Structure formats: structure tokens, C-alpha cells
Amino acid sequence: MSAEKEPLFSKRNKALLTDPFNDNNPITVQVLGICSALAITVQLKPAIVMAISVMAVMGASNVVTSMIRNLIPNRIRIIVQLVIIASLVILVDQVLKAFAYDVSKQLSVFVGLIITNCIVMGRLEAFALGNGVWRSFLDGIGNAFGYGIILIIVAIIRELLGSGKLMGAQIIPPSFYEAGYENNGLMLLSPMALIVVAVLIWLQRTKNTKLIEKH
């Protein structure tokens, strides 16, 4: 069956969405985008906004790159990819400043660093340059969602254990504190993000034996 006649949500296309959640997660398997996991997962809200921002940039940049892939000279393809990503990141940054200014300040320079995020560049180079628009879109969304879900999980663990809150709402009841429970301040420090990611990697590799390296 040719790629043009392939159903939009064929098994092969669905794999583009599902693989980044398990066998090919950008953070826990490919170990890419770790800087974001360290920097913006102290609270859940900025982690969600960052995940949505990356999803918008990756989906759109994959589509644009795929549409013009036959027109891009090989010698300047990296420059073209950077221009596409940078333009989309600027657009996302302006939208955040207009509609979510407080979160934009929390994310600070990290939205801009999406431009150099190796996950975004990697998918353009490895996939969008050689595949059609629809599959490239699915690949971008799938990898961005796989990346974002890890950010969100890490942020939930850090904010809940570090401050007892999620999205500013108190989750751990006062009775726990009255009984002697204390927030773990270490969870608010960057090294704990790395430790939480490491635990997630260990759990994933324990569950999925295909990811265990054989010597």
C-alpha cells in the first residue's frame, strides 16, 4: 500500500503517536531535553505550559519542514530548520506574554531555548525531511507529548512533595501537617529533578525488557 493511500490512522501512523510514550520516549529512552526537566518542573503550571509550547512548535515545524523538504538545499538545511523553529518559538513566546504573562516570566529564557532543543531539531532532521506532511505532524505531536508527559509527571511529584500543592491548590490536608508531616524542601532543588527522572527511567526499563541493554 502506498503512503498516499494509507489510512490517516493506520497502525504505522498510530505508532508515531504511541512509541514516544514507551519504547522511544525522548527523555527516558533517548535522554534528550533533560535541561527542561531540571529547570521548569518545580511547579506543575509552567511544566504544562512548556509541554504545550513544545507541542505547538514541534507539530508546526515538522509540517512546514515536510512541506518544503524538496526545496531545501542540503548544504543549508540546518539553517533553514533553525529559522523555522525560531520563528515559531517567537510566535509562541509572544502568545504567552499576551495571554499568560506570569507563566511566561516563570519560564523566562527556557521558551527561547526550545530553538536549540535537540528533540525538536532531531525530529526535523531524522523524520520531517524524509516523510510526508501528515506523518511528520503525527511524529512531532507524538514526540512532544511523550516529552511533555514526563515533564508533567516530574512536576507533579516535585510540587506535591516539595510544597504540598498542585497548581497553587493545597493538596496535602492540614491534618497531615498536624500529625508531623513536613514538606520535602529538597524536591524544589534542581538535582531532585534529575533523581526523579532517573527513577522514571529505571521504572520504565524494569517494566519494558526491550529497553534493557544486553551485554
Side-chain angles (χ1 to χ4, degrees), residues 41-163:
T41 55
V42 177
Q43 294 180 324
L44 179 58
K45 188 174 182 178
I48 292 175
V49 173
M50 185 65 163
I52 294 172
S53 300
V54 171
M55 189 179 300
V57 171
M58 283 192 70
S61 61
N62 266 25
V63 166
V64 173
T65 301
S66 177
M67 289 175 65
I68 64 173
R69 69 187 187 280
N70 296 323
L71 304 175
I72 304 174
N74 189 56
R75 292 179 300 173
I76 62 169
R77 70 184 190 283
I78 300 298
I79 296 174
V80 173
Q81 291 169 23
L82 284 173
V83 170
I84 292 170
I85 297 170
S87 301
L88 291 168
V89 167
I90 291 171
L91 180 61
V92 167
D93 188 44
Q94 292 303 308
V95 170
L96 287 178
K97 286 179 178 177
F99 297 102
Y101 185 68
D102 290 341
V103 178
S104 176
K105 288 197 299 182
Q106 282 183 283
L107 293 175
S108 183
V109 300
F110 297 106
V111 171
L113 288 177
I114 295 174
I115 297 171
T116 57
N117 192 315
C118 42
I119 299 173
V120 184
M121 284 294 298
R123 297 323 299 169
L124 295 185
E125 184 72 11
F127 198 90
L129 283 176
N131 289 273
V133 173
W134 176 245
R135 299 195 76 235
S136 296
F137 174 73
L138 294 179
D139 180 80
I141 294 296
N143 277 274
F145 208 55
Y147 161 85
I149 201 69
I150 298 299
L151 287 190
I152 291 170
I153 291 171
V154 173
I156 288 173
I157 294 171
R158 293 183 68 196
E159 185 176 7
L160 184 61
L161 298 182
S163 64

